[in-house]
Amino acid sequence: PIGSGLPGWASARYYKYDPDAARRLIREAGAERATVRIRAVKGRYVMGSEIAEAVAEMLKRVGLQPVLEIAGDWPAYVSGMEKREHHMALLGWAPASGVTDAALTPLYLCNQKFFNWGDYCNPQVDALVLKARGTIATPKQNALYGQVLKQLMDDAAWLYLYYEDVHLAFKKGVKGYYVSPDSGVYLW
């Protein structure tokens, strides 16, 4: 749910790739051949539209009928997301501030509408995030964030696919720069 560079990161279990279990769960839900609308945007993320195509193909292989909608630019993507006409979407996220709360609040709190485009809502997660936000003792705050991350994985709030590494090159001797978690470079 958050990158390992953020305070409070805790090693989380990953979802195992298991097409047979997926087929079984789809069958138990009575959702065989159900249409799944997937939104992605071209040019925003490294190979973002190709990743969305791969996810669509995996869904097809387990018996669903994916419909992939790739927006040509970020404004068109956001406009479509705001309509809430999708079942899945590709979104990358990192807080420019490097503050864990800034990563969690917009995506997961019940009262958030912009960026919480899946309308995820778990009052327990809200309570833990708010409690961590008001805690200044780092070990205690990190433990609370660890509970949040575990709950997000248990709820399957998102399908976490990958983390992008940022690679930068500077001329020898460049000093006084900071690279934020969202890949912004600040010079002073």
Side-chain angles (χ1 to χ4, degrees):
I2 62 171
S4 61
L6 288 177
W9 178 83
S11 180
R13 66 177 168 79
Y14 291 92
Y15 304 123
K16 180 182 171 190
Y17 177 71
D18 189 341
D20 292 330
R23 285 185 200 93
R24 180 179 44 78
L25 290 169
I26 290 166
R27 197 171 36 254
E28 288 172 5
E32 296 100 335
R33 303 193 49 77
T35 298
V36 179
R37 292 184 67 187
I38 306 169
R39 286 194 57 80
V41 61
K42 193 162 191 67
R44 175 84 175 182
Y45 308 110
V46 176
M47 297 187 66
S49 54
E50 293 84 354
I51 290 167
E53 289 170 5
V55 170
E57 180 59 31
M58 287 184 242
L59 294 173
K60 189 175 183 180
R61 290 179 186 177
V62 296
L64 297 172
Q65 299 299 310
V67 175
L68 185 57
E69 300 167 0
I70 299 178
D73 59 30
W74 183 247
Y77 176 77
V78 171
S79 176
M81 294 300 288
E82 285 296 301
K83 293 176 186 171
R84 306 286 204 280
E85 295 174 346
H86 59 280
H87 300 108
M88 298 178 82
L90 187 69
L91 179 68
W93 190 261
S97 65
V99 176
T100 304
D101 183 75
L104 298 173
T105 295
L107 300 177
Y108 303 110
L109 265 56
C110 296
N111 66 351
Q112 300 297 305
K113 297 303 173 203
F114 194 74
F115 289 124
N116 185 358
W117 290 319
D119 293 322
Y120 172 79
C121 182
N122 180 332
Q124 181 183 357
V125 167
D126 282 18
L128 287 167
V129 169
L130 295 175
K131 186 173 181 181
R133 182 185 297 168
T135 303
I136 58 173
T138 302
K140 185 175 181 182
Q141 187 180 57
N142 287 348
L144 290 165
Y145 283 136
Q147 291 176 50
V148 170
L149 302 183
K150 181 185 181 315
Q151 188 62 55
L152 292 172
M153 293 301 289
D154 289 348
D155 290 349
W158 289 52
L159 174 60
Y160 307 97
L161 297 176
Y162 66 99
Y163 293 98
E164 285 185 11
D165 287 328
V166 177
H167 300 278
L168 302 168
F170 293 98
K171 181 179 176 181
K172 186 177 180 178
V174 172
K175 295 179 179 162
Y177 64 89
Y178 167 74
V179 180
S180 74
D182 70 347
S183 307
V185 178
Y186 302 93
L187 303 169
W188 55 86

